[in-house]
Amino acid sequence: MRHQRQLEIVQRLRSDGAISVDELARLLGVSSATIRRDLQHLDEAGQITRVHGGAIVPAGDSEDADRERPFASVATDATPEKRQIARRAATLVQDGDVVLLDVGTTTQLLADELRGRQVTVMTTSLAVLDVLRDDPVVELILLGGWVRRAYHSLVGVLTEDALRQIHADVAFLGASGVRRDGYVLDTTTVEVPVKRAMIAASDRTVLLADRNKFPGNGKLKVCGAADLDVLVTNSGADPDTLQICNDNGVEVITT
């Protein structure tokens, strides 16, 4: 709980720029003394700067690479390859399925492939919302949370609570990369607990990752290969990493 609370504090500071101890205590439902201890810990870790009565994010601080490469920029990367992955992933969805779609450019393309299908789509992605908002056939459920504008996503404790209330037949996840030992990585602190909650809420987990994400990079572990059921990628992905996934029972599909 303490770790999650501190993640929420940092996210709130990034969103608001500065906030008081009393306001943080009210928002998070804990005592002011607890917030002061959290702020002291975060300040010592270099994640925030303590100021009189509250805290701020240090000037020049960057939450992740998406500040420099926003969604619109990432969406142009290897689009034909991502479209192939999305089309193949769509064949894994059966009519009547409840589908969870993660944030990311490939899941946005998958949403487009699901237009007109008799499915329920639940998502934390505003990009998926844009694709499906006018579709009269798809039942669309947007999970709430703080808006992360750089990457068109919803994150935070409200999003994670919503995911604990639902059940899906299959979740489609994106990632920053996959290590050679099979660990799925992400670059963004606030997205990782959301991805983990999606895995927990679904019967099956499908990772969508183009060849450029093998072996990939990222500073945070989302899950291990054994937590995945299917991996959809394209030709050229690192064979050693794919073999590790196979060895952990993951069905590897190459487009």
Side-chain angles (χ1 to χ4, degrees):
M1 285 295 293
R2 183 178 116 171
H3 176 66
Q4 180 60 45
R5 187 175 63 248
Q6 290 177 359
L7 290 179
E8 297 290 341
I9 289 171
V10 173
Q11 177 64 17
R12 175 62 69 171
L13 287 170
R14 293 188 192 283
S15 151
D16 295 353
I19 196 166
S20 70
V21 168
D22 290 342
E23 180 67 5
L24 283 169
R26 184 186 66 78
L27 288 169
L28 299 177
V30 296
S31 69
S32 296
T34 296
I35 293 296
R36 289 190 186 94
R37 286 193 295 270
D38 286 337
L39 294 180
Q40 182 65 32
H41 175 83
L42 292 168
D43 184 58
E44 290 171 355
Q47 293 182 264
I48 66 161
T49 298
R50 291 289 305 274
V51 296
H52 180 69
I56 60 172
V57 173
D61 180 64
S62 176
E63 178 184 353
D64 53 56
D66 297 329
R67 293 279 179 106
E68 299 175 6
R69 297 206 67 214
F71 188 90
S73 173
V74 177
T76 64
D77 290 349
T79 300
E81 295 180 354
K82 291 180 179 180
R83 175 68 72 178
Q84 286 182 333
I85 291 171
R87 285 177 178 161
R88 183 63 179 88
T91 68
L92 303 176
V93 178
Q94 305 295 316
D95 286 350
D97 275 355
V98 178
V99 180
L100 256 176
L101 293 186
D102 190 14
V103 300
T105 54
T106 309
T107 51
Q108 180 190 27
L109 293 170
L110 174 54
D112 193 48
E113 297 295 326
L114 294 177
R115 284 181 60 87
R117 297 277 304 272
Q118 294 283 349
V119 295
T120 298
V121 172
M122 299 187 285
T123 188
T124 58
S125 169
L126 299 178
V128 169
L129 171 67
D130 288 341
V131 170
L132 295 176
R133 68 166 75 236
D134 64 345
D135 191 306
V137 180
V138 174
E139 183 176 356
L140 180 61
I141 299 173
L142 184 66
L143 303 171
W146 287 332
V147 176
R148 184 168 165 249
R149 291 179 176 84
Y151 213 64
H152 298 192
S153 67
L154 298 167
V155 296
V157 66
L158 296 176
T159 311
E160 294 157 41
D161 282 348
L163 283 162
R164 281 189 282 269
Q165 306 304 316
I166 65 171
H167 171 266
D169 296 297
V170 57
F172 291 91
L173 298 186
S176 298
V178 183
R179 292 196 334 186
R180 284 200 168 95
D181 58 5
Y183 273 101
V184 179
L185 304 176
D186 201 77
T187 59
T188 313
T189 303
V190 292
E191 296 286 0
V192 170
V194 175
K195 292 178 188 292
R196 290 175 180 167
M198 286 187 171
I199 294 170
S202 304
D203 289 338
R204 300 176 74 217
T205 301
V206 180
L207 179 66
L208 308 181
D210 65 74
R211 60 190 172 93
N212 298 313
K213 295 183 177 179
F214 293 86
N217 54 50
K219 61 188 177 183
L220 301 167
K221 293 179 181 178
V222 176
C223 66
D227 297 305
L228 304 175
D229 296 288
V230 182
L231 165 64
V232 185
T233 187
N234 55 329
S235 179
D238 179 64
D240 292 337
T241 309
L242 297 184
Q243 187 59 53
I244 288 291
C245 292
N246 264 316
D247 293 344
N248 280 275
V250 180
E251 179 186 358
V252 177
I253 299 173
T254 303
T255 63

